Amino acid sequence: MSNLNAKFRRSHRGAQEAGRRELISRSLQSAEHCLEDQDYGTAYAHYLLVLSLAPELKTSVKEAFQFTLFKWAEELDSLARIQDLFNCYEQALELYPNDEVICNSMGEHLFRMGFRDEAAGYFHKAVKLNPDFADAKENFYRVANWLVERWHFIMLNDAKRNLTYLKAIEKAVCSGCKSVLDIGTGTGILSMFAKKAGASSVFACELSKTMYELACDVVAANNMDREIKLLHLKSLDIEIPRHIPERVSLVVTETVDAGLFGEGIVESLIHAWEHLLLQPK
């Protein structure tokens, strides 16, 4: 009796597998026919079904899937079906999370819609995945020109200014300020000054996603990514001990341009003094 049951189960599994292969084959054929008819939405649905049933086919259908996704996304964009467009890209990135071409395309749609910070994130990821991807690099540099204020470059090339900040931070750290918070870290230069000066704990917050990711790269390039904790947060949203373990003894910042009030730096410094900075005895 047990042998009969085992034989039945094998037969049932065999029938299921045959049915699966048949459905996959028919769905692939249907997808190809839909592409010929320029019915990209239906073709996309067929490819989703194929990939859900046969993940092992990801590599072989990747090019056709990408083509279908991009064509369907163009249609959705023209119809102003923005949420459907984003849903399609989310589905695609679940299937191909490390596909630089899909990341770059998602970024292009976001950029055209005005979501420049979010677009920069996808372009940055695409470049990380493939440093030789020319389109992604060009897109990232283009959006960075929108997002990175010109005064960053002026300040970073101001040797006198940098030396003044370095000496001031070194003096504060040597006088006993061992834990530091850098508000609006930008490229992370002040945080690195603090760490080099001997601060035991350095935290840095940056609201702009583009500048936050840039700071991560700069800090990592200087082998300080394990020594400086970068937070993609507004300073007003920092909580103890959720984000930093305790109050710091020194706050550094440089938001000294026309954005002094517009960026809320006054409120940020008051917040840091009241909640994040150790009070003098």
Side-chain angles (χ1 to χ4, degrees):
M1 185 68 177
S2 59
N3 290 335
L4 183 62
N5 288 335
K7 184 176 181 181
F8 174 78
R9 285 194 295 270
R10 286 196 298 271
S11 175
H12 181 65
R13 286 196 296 269
Q16 283 185 322
E17 177 59 23
R20 186 183 75 92
R21 289 197 299 267
E22 177 67 19
L23 181 56
I24 292 168
S25 176
R26 288 186 179 182
S27 293
L28 283 172
Q29 291 176 3
S30 296
E32 292 171 1
H33 291 153
C34 289
L35 287 178
E36 292 174 0
D37 296 336
Q38 297 185 355
D39 183 0
Y40 301 116
T42 306
Y44 177 75
H46 281 299
Y47 278 122
L48 284 182
L49 177 60
V50 168
L51 291 170
S52 68
L53 292 173
E56 67 273 14
L57 296 180
K58 281 184 179 180
T59 302
S60 60
V61 304
K62 180 179 177 179
E63 188 174 339
F65 177 80
Q66 286 177 340
F67 174 81
T68 306
L69 168 67
F70 300 154
K71 287 293 187 180
W72 179 225
E74 287 177 7
E75 281 192 26
L76 292 172
D77 194 7
S78 67
L79 296 170
R81 292 171 56 184
I82 306 305
Q83 189 57 56
D84 289 336
L85 185 153
F86 288 147
N87 288 342
C88 287
Y89 273 97
E90 287 176 2
Q91 292 169 334
L93 288 170
E94 285 180 6
L95 293 166
Y96 297 95
N98 296 317
D99 189 287
E100 70 273 19
V101 179
I102 294 177
C103 286
N104 183 65
S105 180
M106 175 66 157
E108 289 176 337
H109 281 287
L110 287 165
F111 184 78
R112 284 195 296 270
M113 294 173 191
F115 300 108
R116 292 169 184 161
D117 214 10
E118 293 81 358
Y122 282 97
F123 294 145
H124 183 260
K125 182 179 179 180
V127 174
K128 282 282 191 180
L129 290 168
N130 182 2
D132 297 323
F133 189 7
D135 287 349
K137 287 198 291 187
E138 182 180 345
N139 284 332
F140 181 69
Y141 295 144
R142 178 165 56 118
V143 74
N145 283 332
W146 284 91
L147 295 172
V148 180
E149 298 289 347
R150 287 299 171 193
W151 48 263
H152 276 288
F153 302 106
I154 297 172
M155 290 192 303
L156 289 172
N157 287 284
D158 187 341
K160 183 177 179 180
R161 159 210 173 265
N162 293 339
L163 183 60
T164 301
Y165 265 95
L166 176 59
K167 288 182 176 179
I169 291 172
E170 285 178 342
K171 183 178 179 179
V173 172
C174 289
S175 69
C177 296
K178 297 299 184 181
S179 56
V180 181
L181 171 64
D182 180 7
I183 295 178
T185 191
T187 59
I189 187 170
L190 299 187
S191 295
M192 291 187 290
F193 283 171
K195 196 62 195 178
K196 287 181 178 179
S200 56
S201 302
V202 180
F203 308 94
C205 62
E206 176 58 54
L207 182 59
S208 165
K209 185 176 182 182
T210 301
M211 294 308 300
Y212 165 76
E213 291 178 345
L214 177 61
C216 289
D217 287 344
V218 172
V219 168
N222 284 274
N223 299 314
M224 293 187 183
D225 47 321
R226 294 185 178 181
E227 300 174 318
I228 298 173
K229 183 176 180 180
L230 289 158
L231 303 167
H232 182 208
L233 286 172
K234 189 175 181 180
S235 63
L236 293 168
D237 296 330
I238 295 176
E239 299 176 8
I240 298 172
R242 180 182 177 189
H243 301 114
I244 61 177
E246 57 188 4
R247 293 187 177 192
V248 297
S249 52
L250 175 67
V251 170
V252 297
T253 189
E254 185 178 20
T255 319
V256 189
D257 74 323
L260 178 63
F261 297 101
E263 294 189 15
I265 192 64
V266 174
E267 291 86 349
S268 296
L269 290 176
I270 291 173
H271 173 75
W273 177 262
E274 293 178 345
H275 301 285
L276 306 175
L277 187 64
L278 286 171
Q279 301 297 315
K281 296 180 180 179

